[in-house]
Amino acid sequence: MLSASEIFQAHLAQTSPHPLQLEVGNAEGSYIFDKAGKRYYDLISGIAVSNIGHCHPKVVNAVKAQVDQYMHVMAYGEFIQTPQNQLATELTKLLPEDLNSCYFVNSGAEANEGALKLAKRITGRTELIACNRSYHGSTHGALSVSGNEVKKNAFRPLLPDVRFIDFNKEDHLDQITECTAAVIIEPVQGDAGVRIPSVKYLRRLRQRCTDVGAQLIFDEIQTGFGRTGKLFAFEHFDVVPDILTIAKAFGGGMPIGAFISNREHMSLLTHNPMLGHITTFGGHPVNCAAALANLGVIQDERLLDQVEAKGKILASTIEHPSIKEIRRIGLMFAIEFETAEMVQKIVLRCLEEGVITFWFLSCPESFRLAPPINMSDEDLICSGQIIHRIIEECA
Ligand SMILES: Cc1ncc(COP(=O)(O)O)c(C=O)c1O
């Protein structure tokens, strides 16, 4: 008989030569338990997904209640489904006035695909501008605007007419012109290793896009839903995008994404051609019910209020002289060392010691932390102390 690991390797397509292979038994709050019952502190939240912890009872109950009513009934956009209506109502209440029309999709990459297509329709232009070291997803369009050359080269040709600028570099903003359909940018870069731009940069970017008539797309797929201490990272900068994309933590552990714009612009997808973007499962009612409960938890439990204080607690517990830099906003961390080898050792040793950390796609000298935003102070300290001890050991 094959072991679980052998089946995993034989019959599941692999993404890397060295998967972590933690065999999950169950998950609850800030913990994942393996099949043998060993408890792990989850300090990455499935990569910025389980922001309110695993299996929050309110999300679980919402899912169960919706499953009892109905599951998939029709492709997105035809029938009126209460969970979609409720979610769009509550979400748009929390967003700036012009972000009032939500198109629900299945993932982050698809949210960005929709946003890029919409920007082309709004402007009648084709040029897309993105940032070096950005990550926007793995489908052809989203990959085309991602700034990691190594990850892209094997899949060319990708989308034409894509130009890259440096993140947080004001000098590069004049490359955005009357030819530009959209600038797609993470307001805080995630997979580049938590890069936080200046307020001045994002405001100048906003102004430049307005001046030349380009759509500004904020990809908040990783930064959304409290990760940075605000519901959305753009609130730190007081800069509003034309199109917002979300996914990951949106569904409270269920898969759902969205691109959000204003009603008038969004209506361009309904003609010339009709059905300009379609999806069978987008806005799945069970996932919408989960997302609505997730939003309710963040608000009712006032989770945003504690994120910065929790971030400081974790940062101060981990601090160690061999750390080159800690880049942090809220509970989104990059812990940087001199070498990628050091990072490699620490991540694997942490796993052995029951603390889940992870790598970045485009920043090998740092490891990431993104714990649930409601992780208890005690657990942040305990897990932070383990990381500190391992850094000491590996230094
Ligand atoms: C900023 C950002 N955009 C887009 C994506 C792609 O999202 P998904 O994996 O749901 O397609 C990710 C995923 O890591 C992301 O971090």
Side-chain angles (χ1 to χ4, degrees), residues 68-381:
D68 282 343
Q69 294 287 310
Y70 55 91
M71 296 193 282
H72 179 80
V73 283
M74 182 53 174
Y76 176 80
E78 293 294 336
F79 291 176
I80 298 170
Q81 302 182 41
T82 307
Q84 291 181 349
N85 271 9
Q86 288 175 329
L87 178 58
T89 304
E90 291 310 312
L91 189 57
T92 51
K93 265 190 214 161
L94 298 167
L95 287 168
E97 208 182 326
D98 249 8
L99 296 173
N100 53 22
S101 178
C102 306
Y103 194 126
F104 294 131
V105 294
N106 302 281
S107 68
E110 192 192 350
N112 285 334
E113 297 289 343
L116 296 172
K117 286 169 70 184
L118 179 62
K120 286 182 170 176
R121 284 304 318 275
I122 294 167
T123 59
R125 306 172 185 171
T126 55
E127 183 187 73
L128 301 169
I129 294 191
C131 287
N132 289 315
R133 301 177 77 184
S134 61
Y135 182 66
H136 297 293
S138 214
T139 52
H140 267 87
L143 186 63
S144 302
V145 292
S146 294
N148 183 324
E149 288 306 311
V150 177
K151 300 272 189 306
K152 281 191 296 191
N153 276 339
F155 303 103
R156 293 189 189 283
L158 292 169
L159 277 186
D161 229 359
V162 179
R163 177 193 283 268
F164 286 88
I165 57 176
D166 282 351
F167 185 75
N168 201 24
K169 195 161 220 177
E170 290 183 43
D171 291 356
H172 285 196
L173 293 177
D174 58 8
Q175 294 181 45
I176 305 165
T177 68
E178 275 83 5
C179 296
T180 310
V183 177
I184 182 165
I185 188 168
E186 301 154 86
V188 172
Q189 279 192 323
D191 272 286
V194 184
R195 308 287 165 177
I196 305 157
S198 69
V199 172
K200 188 158 158 258
Y201 172 76
L202 277 196
R203 290 193 181 160
R204 281 205 54 199
L205 168 65
R206 171 67 278 180
Q207 191 56 49
R208 181 72 185 170
C209 287
T210 305
D211 290 348
V212 300
Q215 290 285 295
L216 178 59
I217 303 171
F218 275 174
D219 173 342
E220 291 246 20
I221 288 158
Q222 195 168 143
T223 49
F225 299 94
R227 176 55 47 210
T228 68
K230 305 270 189 194
L231 191 61
F232 297 106
F234 69 73
E235 297 167 47
H236 290 285
F237 305 93
D238 210 11
V239 172
V240 176
D242 299 301
I243 307 175
L244 175 68
T245 61
I246 56 176
K248 284 190 179 279
F250 182 26
M254 295 292 276
I256 181 167
F259 57 102
I260 304 169
S261 179
N262 73 49
R263 209 168 296 117
E264 188 193 334
H265 284 161
M266 204 65 103
S267 71
L268 293 167
L269 294 177
T270 64
H271 40 253
N272 301 323
M274 186 177 111
L275 306 174
H277 188 80
I278 49 175
T279 159
T280 299
F281 283 128
H284 191 286
V286 177
N287 302 345
C288 285
L292 185 65
N294 177 55
L295 210 49
V297 169
I298 293 172
Q299 291 173 286
D300 299 346
E301 298 181 14
R302 304 189 63 80
L303 297 185
L304 302 176
D305 298 350
Q306 346 165 15
V307 176
E308 181 54 27
K310 286 185 184 292
K312 282 198 177 118
I313 289 173
L314 185 57
S316 64
T317 313
I318 293 172
E319 252 168 33
H320 186 278
S322 65
I323 296 175
K324 200 169 149 199
E325 186 184 20
I326 297 183
R327 291 182 297 278
R328 177 182 76 81
I329 179 164
L331 278 164
M332 181 174 182
F333 288 74
I335 317 279
E336 179 138 326
F337 293 85
E338 289 295 340
T339 65
E341 291 70 40
M342 177 81 170
V343 168
Q344 198 74 8
K345 266 203 279 185
I346 293 169
V347 170
L348 295 176
R349 277 288 297 128
C350 280
L351 189 67
E352 282 172 6
E353 296 293 322
V355 177
I356 304 171
T357 65
F358 207 57
W359 297 280
F360 290 105
L361 285 172
S362 301
C363 187
E365 293 83 21
S366 301
F367 69 84
R368 78 193 316 144
L369 298 175
I373 62 173
N374 57 357
M375 191 166 185
S376 71
D377 293 354
E378 197 188 9
D379 282 348
L380 286 168
I381 291 168

